Amino acid sequence: MPFARLQRFSKRRLLLPLLKRFHPAVQTRVGPWTLRVDLRDDIIGYLLYTTGEYEAHVQRLFTAMELTGATCIDVGANLGLHTLALRDCVGPHGRVIAFEPEPHNFDLLTENLRTNGPSPQVTTHRQAVGAAPGTCRLALHPTNFGDHRVTTATAAKAAASSPAPTTVEVPIVRLDDTLADLPTGTIRLIKIDVQGFEMSVLAGMIRTLDSHPDALLMIEVFPEALRAAGSSGSALVTRLGELGLTGWEFHEHRLLPVAPAWAYDLLADGKDVNLILSRNAEKLREVMVRWWGRPLPVPTRGCTPRSNPVPSRLPARLLPATSPPPLSASSSPRSTTRNSSPKPSPAPPPKTSASPKSSSSMTAPPTAPPPSSRNSTNPASASSARPTPAPPPPATPAGAPPAASGFKS
């Protein structure tokens, strides 16, 4: 077994369980930084310790944004991984403003900033962000330290039948108030990852979006958490479209235009996607071309919901290549409507005698041929007998309705 694989195996199977139980706070190397993580966190802490990375494609996107000297907002900073990446991107003349309400995560955030060199351009706030200032309760997840959620009335009702989670009271602010003193147009990026509380954050940053129209917005769509907070994935994407934002849904190995709003309600529980949006579609396209490494079109307004999410008929590509010709009155079958009177049968043709001018060597049939061979001649007398003239149309019996062609009503 190669040494690197043996080292990873011993770290996961032997050392990790012991550290998690007796000494959960450890330092690990992640890219150019040394981070303190908590091994009781089964997602971010575990992945950073065992693999040395987490959401590396997001950090590459930060680099493609060319943030030197810009101001960036990190709402939901957790232990500071993306805050450090943004700090390095903006440089000494830029600015990063980070919000993290949970006390333990905030302590990790400040320690990681201090451990990785001076960070005078970073301002940290131990506050939640929402639609109105005040205080709120934060429900703490016991094993996923990136899934702490601001509690709401809807969430409280949903959890009424289950054991109550540990909660802490934290202050909450509006971005419009906290960022009011920033010069117009200086914010380049706003990153929002707040576990279902996104609608409230958007409600408190309307002026901020208006004052910084070229800002990029990176936001998570997590339908399960949004439903717990009384919203939905479709409602969030619809609201983003109403704010004039358009853009892309981005993954580590895939880039898609923003789907119709209703599609985001179809994500499985526990799954989420990230969107990168802007009111300046051309500037966003330039950023995504640098990140993706190939030409891309200008994104259209993909956040607008579709009025009818269920198609009323098959798409054209699923229809047959050719359609049958329309039915006509002369070629269509007879109507099978119940209680309709049957059509009267035509009268039998009258009997006729043999032609007086027929050859004496041939005897004419005593009656006319049946209707199916009325205009045919006898093969034996074809050279001497003249064809029998067609009989006149049969007379309609008295009292019977006239015959009609086509559908019968």
Side-chain angles (χ1 to χ4, degrees):
M1 179 182 293
F3 176 74
R5 291 182 59 189
L6 180 61
Q7 188 178 34
R8 288 195 299 269
F9 176 81
S10 63
K11 205 173 186 180
R12 293 182 183 182
R13 301 293 184 178
L14 303 177
L15 190 58
L16 182 63
L18 294 174
L19 290 173
K20 185 175 180 179
R21 182 170 183 178
F22 298 107
H23 194 274
V26 298
Q27 284 190 336
T28 187
R29 194 69 179 171
V30 180
W33 314 294
T34 299
L35 298 183
R36 182 171 291 276
V37 302
D38 193 323
L39 297 180
R40 293 171 298 181
D41 179 5
D42 290 342
I43 306 299
I44 299 177
Y46 172 83
L47 290 174
L48 288 175
Y49 181 73
T50 57
T51 67
E53 66 176 24
Y54 181 75
E55 292 187 342
H57 64 292
V58 175
Q59 296 154 33
R60 292 195 302 271
L61 183 53
F62 292 159
T63 304
M65 293 178 184
E66 298 182 348
L67 298 172
T68 303
T71 298
C72 298
I73 314 300
D74 189 359
V75 181
N78 199 266
L79 55 76
L81 174 63
H82 294 329
T83 307
L84 281 168
L86 290 172
R87 182 203 67 175
D88 293 350
C89 288
V90 301
H93 302 293
R95 189 175 179 187
V96 178
I97 303 173
F99 297 84
E100 174 52 51
E102 200 275 320
H104 180 58
N105 281 343
F106 185 80
D107 291 342
L108 293 175
L109 166 66
T110 54
E111 181 177 349
N112 288 329
L113 288 171
R114 184 172 57 251
T115 302
N116 291 274
S119 305
Q121 67 273 55
V122 180
T123 304
T124 57
H125 298 268
R126 193 175 72 81
Q127 299 168 328
V129 176
T135 60
C136 64
R137 302 294 299 181
L138 190 68
L140 306 183
H141 197 289
T143 60
N144 183 355
F145 293 178
D147 196 18
H148 305 319
R149 306 182 187 183
V150 176
T151 57
T152 61
T154 303
K157 290 180 181 179
S161 59
S162 60
T166 302
T167 63
V168 294
E169 187 175 276
V170 297
I172 188 169
V173 297
R174 292 196 315 167
L175 286 183
D176 282 347
D177 299 333
T178 306
L179 308 178
D181 295 335
L182 292 178
T184 301
T186 55
I187 295 180
R188 188 76 57 82
L189 171 67
I190 303 174
K191 169 190 159 288
I192 302 175
D193 185 354
V194 290
Q195 305 305 108
F197 208 55
E198 285 80 4
M199 290 290 282
S200 292
V201 176
L202 289 175
M205 57 179 287
I206 303 301
R207 288 203 314 267
T208 300
L209 289 175
D210 293 340
S211 300
H212 307 271
D214 293 340
L216 303 176
L217 176 66
M218 182 182 294
I219 189 168
E220 180 187 69
V221 181
F222 186 4
E224 180 187 0
L226 286 162
R227 287 193 294 271
S231 184
S232 65
S234 60
L236 174 59
V237 175
T238 298
R239 181 57 179 151
L240 292 169
E242 292 170 351
L243 293 173
L245 296 161
T246 185
W248 303 87
E249 174 187 319
F250 72 99
H251 308 258
E252 184 176 3
H253 302 295
R254 194 177 187 189
L255 181 65
L256 302 168
V258 175
W262 59 267
Y264 292 93
D265 288 333
L266 305 181
L267 287 174
D269 286 349
K271 302 300 181 181
D272 58 76
V273 297
N274 289 317
L275 305 182
I276 181 70
L277 310 166
S278 180
R279 290 177 174 177
N280 189 331
E282 178 57 33
K283 183 179 289 285
L284 175 59
R285 185 192 69 83
E286 294 172 359
V287 169
M288 300 311 291
V289 166
R290 285 194 295 270
W291 176 70
W292 196 239
R294 65 189 70 175
L296 294 170
V298 175
T300 57
R301 185 173 174 134
C303 297
T304 304
R306 184 177 295 178
S307 59
N308 182 17
V310 181
S312 59
R313 59 181 180 179
L314 286 175
R317 59 186 177 82
L318 298 181
L319 293 175
T322 57
S323 300
L327 294 175
S328 62
S330 59
S331 61
S332 59
R334 293 182 180 271
S335 173
T336 56
T337 305
R338 293 183 181 181
N339 302 327
S340 60
S341 57
K343 202 175 222 183
S345 302
K351 295 183 180 181
T352 57
S353 58
S355 173
K357 294 185 179 180
S358 59
S359 171
S360 59
S361 61
M362 302 295 296
T363 305
T367 59
S372 60
S373 58
R374 186 173 298 157
N375 294 330
S376 62
T377 56
N378 191 336
S381 59
S383 58
S384 57
R386 288 184 294 181
T388 304
T396 302
S405 61
F407 288 107
K408 184 176 181 62
S409 58

